[in-house]
């Protein structure tokens, strides 16, 4: 009989333990001695801190270097500047120039000109590209025409079947169509592609909006244009903005456009690429070249700091872009 | 009647929405690919560009023969192919496992995880040329200065030194490439249902068991996709050479992507047919492998089995 009582007590204790563990399942894991996990955590921590420092140190060193004089840089490579040379940034804006020359024509672009070229090109091209993708994805998602399936298949096919070595053909076609050197052709016409992952992301978002919204508007006499511009675009503005800013950053950072299609409108990234081998006395020193880099990074850094939660939390293969 | 009218209205609106992007697709995708196939069988003899009235002639398989001849006899080609292959395996082997582990660590809400996430991801937002210049000057100026101070010996810059430039550029790819797909993996891991993880924790799952038996299978589709995308870019990727050396990198450093890109920019239209032939050969080699990889990745997907 006594034994039975003990057993009941034991059972009660066990039940209590189980209930406690169920309340906090992580507790059980903590209680169990997961030596492998502890070692892994230590190793990953060490690796993360090491890699993080290896990223931060060159960037911090680069930034401090931009505030030094050439002599200070030579004899005080790692210390803080003896005299803070903020004017290095002004020197970049004044003297950092690129010359575009053809047989009949020559034009000099300052850093400010290049910034304007970058802003106008990146914003216009990103806007065109985002809206082209949006319109096609919206049409395919909203209207049940057979051709919508063809559009889906085209996007999927171009994403999965790689065809190499077409850059030369693209360049030849660009010459034939008068794209080369034509800002509007490059920033608008060539950006109208609907291909790419964003197509499916936009489609998923459009499909996520209840059809009842559009139906009730249509009953009230709204046209297709009204439904698109007054219901769908405002409701998916979050996605449009995220895709637009990601595009802007990509285009702002790229200099390929000047190497191939638009040599007559150099952007800042191209300027920096050419700047590596500059002979202009005022700007040929490392301190000034790095200052040029940090001016280029600044707008991206500001956008990133404002939208980093959106950028980092929004992209997932599992869920597309989260609203 | 009313229904038909609405359908017609919808059709007109539908066409208006897709017409320009679809024409773009026909010209800049279908047209470009088709032109590339034609180019591979042509030759430009007159020295005048085709868009300025220069004449072209059909040369059959001559461009393909030239590519095979170059691959067989030119040392530069062998170097470029071997560099591309080595860089692909080196980058994947050394960046993917740490990225997965760090992503898992961040996903497990480790202390400082958010800081790691921001610091690792932020550089992927910056222009490659900016990152390359900072890295280059750090390796050319700061590091030799630092080593010189310690050893009291003059040290050459790591990028200009012939003996160290190749590993320095290769290490750059790994150093900066770690954060690139971190966010994708973290978000994929965060999408795993918490109830699955809690149930496993109740059963006493360890840190590694959770990683291998729950997290990795759930991330297989992304892992496979990343690998296939990376493999697809194997011969198109110039591996940062354009940023480090512009258009005149030493041939010892060449990759196939860099070689094709610079040849297109510097060689003029006369070189386009051979480049197109080369592209078609690479497509013929890579396409079956990529399709097989996709099929295999789908077949072994733990979530489908």
């Amino acid at each position: 009989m006594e034994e039975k009582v003990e057993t009941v007590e034991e059972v009660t204790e066990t039940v209590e333990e189980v209930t406690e563990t169920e309340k906090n399942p992580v507790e059980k894991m903590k209680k169990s001695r997961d030596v492998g996990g502890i070692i892994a955590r230590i190793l990953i921590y060490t690796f993360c801190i090491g890699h993080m420092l290896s990223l931060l140190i060159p960037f911090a060193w680069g930034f401090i270097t931009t505030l030094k004089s050439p002599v200070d840089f030579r004899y005080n490579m790692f210390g803080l500047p003896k005299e803070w040379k903020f004017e290095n940034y002004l020197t970049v804006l004044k003297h950092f120039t690129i010359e575009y020359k053809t047989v009949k024509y020559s034009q000099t672009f300052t850093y400010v000109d290049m910034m304007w070229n970058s802003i106008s090109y990146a914003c216009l091209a990103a806007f065109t590209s985002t809206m082209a993708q949006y319109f096609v994805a919206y049409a395919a998602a909203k209207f049940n025409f057979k051709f919508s399936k063809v559009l889906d298949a085209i996007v999927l096919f171009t994403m999965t079947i790689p065809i190499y070595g077409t850059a030369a053909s693209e360049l030849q076609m660009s010459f034939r169509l008068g794209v080369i050197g034509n800002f509007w052709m490059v920033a608008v016409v060539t950006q109208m592609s609907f291909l790419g992952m964003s197509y499916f992301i936009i489609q998923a978002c459009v499909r996520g909006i209840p059809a009842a919204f559009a139906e009730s508007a249509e009953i009230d006499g709204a046209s297709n244009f009204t439904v698109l511009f007054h219901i769908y675009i405002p409701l998916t503005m979050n996605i449009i903005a995220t895709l637009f800013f990601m595009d802007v950053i990509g285009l702002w950072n790229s200099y390929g456009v000047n190497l191939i299609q638009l040599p007559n409108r150099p952007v800042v990234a191209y300027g920096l690429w050419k700047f590596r081998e500059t002979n202009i006395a005022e700007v040929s020193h490392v301190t000034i070249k790095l200052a040029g880099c940090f001016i280029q990074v600044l707008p991206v850094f500001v956008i990133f700091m404002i939208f980093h939660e959106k950028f980092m939390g929004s992209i997932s293969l599992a869920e597309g872009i989260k609203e | 009647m009313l229904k038909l009218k609405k359908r017609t209205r919808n059709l007109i609106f539908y066409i208006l929405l897709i017409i320009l992007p679809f024409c773009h697709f026909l010209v800049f995708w279908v047209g470009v690919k088709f032109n590339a196939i034609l180019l591979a069988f042509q030759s430009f003899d007159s020295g005048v560009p085709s868009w300025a009235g220069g004449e072209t002639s059909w040369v059959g398989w001559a461009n393909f023969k030239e590519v095979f001849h170059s691959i067989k006899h030119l040392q530069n080609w062998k170097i470029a192919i071997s560099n591309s292959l080595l860089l692909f395996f080196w980058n994947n082997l050394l960046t993917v496992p740490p990225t997965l582990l760090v992503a898992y660590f961040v996903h497990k809400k480790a202390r400082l995880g958010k800081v790691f996430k921001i610091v690792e991801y932020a550089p992927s937002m910056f222009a490659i040329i900016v990152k390359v210049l900072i890295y280059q000057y750090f390796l050319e100026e700061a590091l030799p200065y630092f080593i010189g101070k310690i050893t009291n010996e003059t040290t050459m810059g790591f990028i200009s030194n012939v003996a160290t430039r190749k590993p320095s550029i290769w290490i750059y790819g790994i150093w900066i490439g770690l954060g690139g797909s971190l966010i994708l993996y973290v978000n994929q891991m965060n999408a795993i249902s918490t109830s699955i993880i809690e149930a496993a924790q109740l059963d006493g799952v360890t840190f590694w068991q959770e990683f291998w038996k729950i997290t990795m299978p759930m991330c297989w589709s992304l892992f496979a996709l990343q690998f296939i995308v990376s493999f697809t870019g194997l011969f198109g990727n110039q591996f940062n050479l354009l940023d480090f050396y512009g258009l005149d990198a030493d041939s010892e450093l060449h990759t196939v992507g860099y070689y094709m890109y610079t040849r297109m920019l510097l060689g003029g239209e006369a070189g386009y047919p051979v480049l197109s032939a080369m592209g078609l050969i690479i497509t013929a080699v890579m396409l079956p492998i990529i399709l097989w990889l996709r099929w295999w990745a789908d077949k072994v997907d733990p979530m489908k089995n």
Side-chain angles (χ1 to χ4, degrees), chain A residues 34 45 164 169 253 255 315, chain B residues 32 111 125 187 207 232 243:
Chain A
D34 179 10
Y45 251 120
Y164 296 89
S169 162
N253 288 338
Y255 58 84
I315 304 164
Chain B
V32 164
R111 267 184 212 130
M125 289 271 133
N187 290 343
F207 183 85
T232 306
D243 307 289

Side-chain angles (χ1 to χ4, degrees), chain B:
Chain B
M1 186 66 190
L2 190 73
K3 209 177 177 183
L4 185 75
K5 256 188 164 177
K6 194 186 172 195
R7 193 176 160 77
T8 314
R9 274 205 319 267
N10 284 348
L11 185 65
I12 293 167
F13 183 68
Y14 183 83
I15 292 170
L16 280 176
L17 285 179
I18 67 165
I19 186 80
L20 286 176
F22 192 71
C23 288
H24 177 281
F25 166 72
L26 290 179
V27 175
F28 289 97
W29 202 91
V30 180
V32 164
K33 308 301 180 216
F34 184 68
N35 186 44
I37 296 170
L38 295 183
L39 260 176
F41 297 95
Q42 287 177 334
S43 166
F44 298 97
D45 312 316
S46 62
V48 180
S50 61
W51 53 89
E55 284 182 13
T56 57
S57 54
W58 297 97
V59 292
W61 297 95
N63 294 321
F64 292 88
K65 281 179 193 159
E66 191 182 328
V67 175
F68 283 121
H69 184 267
S70 306
I71 293 172
K72 203 173 171 188
H73 296 288
L74 291 181
Q75 191 59 25
N76 287 1
W77 261 106
K78 285 172 191 153
I79 292 171
I81 293 170
S82 94
N83 278 347
S84 288
L85 286 168
L86 277 172
L87 271 164
F88 166 75
F89 287 110
W90 166 267
N91 277 1
N92 275 286
L93 205 68
L94 294 179
T95 59
V96 177
T99 304
L100 279 167
L101 285 172
V102 174
Y104 179 59
F105 197 54
V106 173
H107 154 70
K108 296 292 291 175
K109 309 267 182 292
R111 267 184 212 130
L112 292 175
K114 213 174 167 184
V115 179
F116 291 147
K117 202 169 130 179
I118 293 176
V119 175
E120 295 286 342
Y121 184 63
S124 67
M125 289 271 133
F126 301 155
I128 296 172
I129 186 65
V130 168
K131 289 178 280 192
V132 162
L133 282 175
I134 292 172
Y135 178 80
Q136 192 168 357
Y137 289 131
F138 192 75
L139 256 64
E140 280 294 282
E141 307 279 349
L143 218 52
Y145 175 88
F146 183 71
I147 294 170
K149 279 270 175 196
I150 294 171
T151 59
N152 268 333
E153 278 176 29
T154 313
T155 312
M156 265 184 88
F158 287 83
I159 305 286
S160 51
N161 186 345
V162 178
T164 53
R165 64 185 177 183
K166 201 167 182 174
S168 301
I169 293 168
W170 287 23
I171 287 169
Y172 167 82
I174 294 160
W175 174 70
I176 211 74
L178 276 172
S181 45
L182 180 75
I183 301 302
L184 276 171
Y185 282 116
V186 172
N187 290 343
Q188 184 83 0
M189 289 174 187
N190 286 345
I192 298 171
S193 165
T194 46
S195 60
I196 296 173
I197 295 166
E198 280 176 8
Q201 283 172 344
L202 274 174
D203 291 340
V205 71
T206 63
F207 183 85
W208 282 115
Q209 281 170 335
E210 187 185 324
F211 178 72
W212 282 115
K213 296 186 175 166
I214 300 171
T215 312
M216 272 307 287
M218 295 275 198
C219 289
W220 173 258
S221 56
L222 178 61
F223 174 76
L225 181 74
Q226 290 278 95
F227 182 80
I228 292 167
V229 167
S230 162
F231 186 75
T232 306
L234 164 60
F235 288 124
N237 198 337
Q238 43 94 11
F239 292 100
N240 304 308
L241 284 178
L242 199 64
D243 307 289
F244 275 102
Y245 292 102
L247 299 172
D248 49 7
D250 194 275
S251 61
E252 179 223 7
L253 301 166
H254 279 193
T255 59
V256 176
Y258 179 81
Y259 177 79
M260 287 176 73
Y261 192 74
T262 48
R263 212 171 142 181
M264 180 191 76
L265 288 178
L266 301 172
E269 202 190 23
Y272 293 0
V274 175
L275 288 176
S276 293
M278 200 184 294
L280 289 182
I281 292 168
I282 294 174
T283 306
V285 173
M286 294 290 280
L287 195 59
I289 304 174
I290 290 162
L291 292 175
W292 179 82
L293 267 178
R294 280 176 191 279
W295 170 82
W296 178 79
D298 200 48
K299 196 183 165 213
V300 299
D301 188 344
M303 297 313 293
K304 286 185 180 166
N305 298 315

